[in-house]
Amino acid sequence: MSKTSQAAGLHRASLAKLHELDAALELMYYGWRGMTLEADDYLAKQGLSRPHHRILYVVARRPDIAIGALIEILGISKQALNRPLNLLLERKLLTSKRSPEQHRSKLLRLTAAGQRIEQKASDRERKVMRQAFERAGASGAAAWMAVMEAIADSN
Amino acid sequence: MSKTSQAAGLHRASLAKLHELDAALELMYYGWRGMTLEADDYLAKQGLSRPHHRILYVVARRPDIAIGALIEILGISKQALNRPLNLLLERKLLTSKRSPEQHRSKLLRLTAAGQRIEQKASDRERKVMRQAFERAGASGAAAWMAVMEAIADSN
DNA sequence: GCCCTCATGTCAACTATATTGACTTGAGAG
DNA sequence: CTCTCAAGTCAATATAGTTGACATGAGGGC
């Protein structure tokens, strides 16, 4: 469920660097791992995992989103969404209601319990980021964001 | 095999920010995606994927590594390593030989073909990083590394 | 009222990546 | 000859995703 636990995995910096930028590649990998590690542990304790969190995260920021729009934002198929979404509905972390005028669409919303879990999971990720930004200072944080934007937009 | 293709997925910045640090969470996600997108496409064309690349990457930087050590570095189980490793051996991208004195261990090494594929895949990741670092300048790159180190070491 | 479209829902089969547990093989050391 | 240990293999399971096919149900056009 989680790639975490004792899989301390790669003790960073144990590999020879063949290229100058190898350190950057590895930092991206370990950075992603480091940011999500605690959140994944928390989610696993709730019987949830990353895809559930992604759904909760998006719905929290787009209340009354329709299923089709959610599928687009997540970039997965309807069928892949189906299982985790139904679990969240069964667990009453999400509600779906038909829209008044657009009766074809179902609108998704977090319940109070869903909000709590979304917040706790995302908080764990934000905590890691906040600590790193505090160490780096405001200018370091801004530089990090600028580099990440350049990478994200490189497609 | 690849999460890529038309799954342009989340057009960045389409979500309302509930917290100041939400942008950072999303940038980490898109940054990872952005860095690995082209490499994953290339690997998919070779009939390979991320786990194969991880194996090739590590073996390239630790020639004559034993299987046990590889398992530790990758942080996966022996059984999970088995399939992708055997594929790489069948395809003659890796060779394994018994060590002269430590006959119990098999030592892994890249073939010329394995080196070529490892290099091409990693090059695509490095290219993305290099472009982002060029845009950010040397100080921006250093700041990015410092922040990522703080995140990676936060466990 | 009848049909077409379209969002949603569901079923089945498949692939890939991982897990744990149990067992075999093969070489070295005593 | 047996014990240990690295490596290999087999089976069952979970998770996360895919495509394809088809059902349902509401709105809109005529």
Side-chain angles (χ1 to χ4, degrees):
Chain A
M1 182 143 274
S2 63
K3 41 163 76 154
T4 60
S5 315
Q6 88 293 39
L10 353 203
H11 2 297
R12 274 188 54 233
S14 63
L15 296 175
K17 300 294 177 283
L18 291 183
H19 297 265
E20 207 197 335
L21 287 165
D22 283 355
L25 304 190
E26 291 169 31
L27 278 173
M28 186 69 90
Y29 182 77
Y30 296 121
W32 171 255
R33 283 282 226 81
M35 188 184 89
T36 56
L37 201 69
E38 278 187 56
D40 281 343
D41 275 352
Y42 167 73
L43 288 163
K45 269 181 222 141
Q46 315 298 315
L48 302 174
S49 55
R50 207 114 280 280
H52 303 106
H53 185 201
R54 281 198 281 153
I55 295 170
L56 295 175
Y57 183 93
V58 171
V59 176
R61 282 151 189 81
R62 285 264 204 116
D64 286 337
I65 190 174
I67 289 188
L70 182 57
I71 284 169
E72 260 217 20
I73 290 183
L74 294 178
I76 61 175
S77 67
K78 178 175 58 165
Q79 295 89 333
L81 177 63
N82 199 38
R83 269 177 193 243
L85 181 60
N86 278 331
L87 180 66
L88 296 175
L89 288 168
E90 275 166 32
R91 294 263 215 104
K92 298 198 195 308
L93 303 178
L94 283 183
T95 57
S96 80
K97 63 155 197 261
R98 302 225 97 109
S99 109
E101 65 290 333
Q102 257 299 93
H103 244 259
R104 287 186 192 172
S105 304
K106 273 192 186 174
L107 306 183
L108 300 171
R109 217 170 235 284
L110 294 189
T111 62
Q115 271 178 36
R116 215 176 49 243
I117 289 187
E118 190 281 323
Q119 211 159 16
K120 283 195 182 179
S122 298
D123 267 348
R124 278 160 175 75
E125 298 181 357
R126 283 189 291 260
K127 191 194 76 187
V128 174
M129 296 307 300
R130 185 163 40 245
Q131 288 172 349
F133 283 171
E134 273 165 17
R135 281 222 251 162
S139 69
W144 183 88
M145 304 261 295
V147 171
M148 285 308 248
E149 271 163 25
I151 297 167
D153 293 342
S154 76
N155 309 255
Chain B
M1 182 144 271
S2 64
K3 42 163 77 151
T4 61
S5 316
Q6 87 295 42
L10 350 207
H11 1 299
R12 277 187 52 232
S14 63
L15 296 175
K17 301 293 178 286
L18 290 181
H19 298 266
E20 204 196 336
L21 287 165
D22 283 355
L25 303 190
E26 292 169 31
L27 278 173
M28 185 70 91
Y29 181 76
Y30 296 121
W32 172 256
R33 282 282 227 79
M35 188 185 89
T36 56
L37 201 68
E38 278 187 57
D40 282 343
D41 273 353
Y42 168 72
L43 289 164
K45 268 180 223 143
Q46 315 299 315
L48 303 174
S49 56
R50 206 115 279 281
H52 304 107
H53 185 202
R54 281 198 281 154
I55 294 171
L56 295 174
Y57 183 94
V58 171
V59 176
R61 281 148 191 83
R62 285 265 204 114
D64 286 338
I65 190 173
I67 288 187
L70 183 56
I71 284 168
E72 261 217 19
I73 290 184
L74 294 178
I76 61 175
S77 66
K78 178 176 54 164
Q79 295 88 332
L81 178 63
N82 200 38
R83 271 178 190 242
L85 182 60
N86 278 332
L87 179 67
L88 296 175
L89 289 168
E90 276 167 31
R91 294 262 214 103
K92 300 198 193 308
L93 303 178
L94 283 183
T95 56
S96 80
K97 63 157 200 258
R98 302 224 95 110
S99 112
E101 66 289 334
Q102 257 298 95
H103 243 261
R104 286 186 192 172
S105 302
K106 274 194 187 173
L107 306 183
L108 300 172
R109 218 171 233 283
L110 295 190
T111 62
Q115 272 177 37
R116 214 176 49 243
I117 288 187
E118 190 281 322
Q119 212 158 16
K120 284 194 182 181
S122 298
D123 267 349
R124 279 160 175 73
E125 298 181 357
R126 284 189 292 261
K127 190 194 76 186
V128 174
M129 296 307 299
R130 185 163 40 244
Q131 289 172 349
F133 283 172
E134 273 165 17
R135 281 221 249 163
S139 69
W144 183 88
M145 304 262 296
V147 171
M148 285 308 249
E149 270 162 28
I151 296 166
D153 293 343
S154 76
N155 309 257

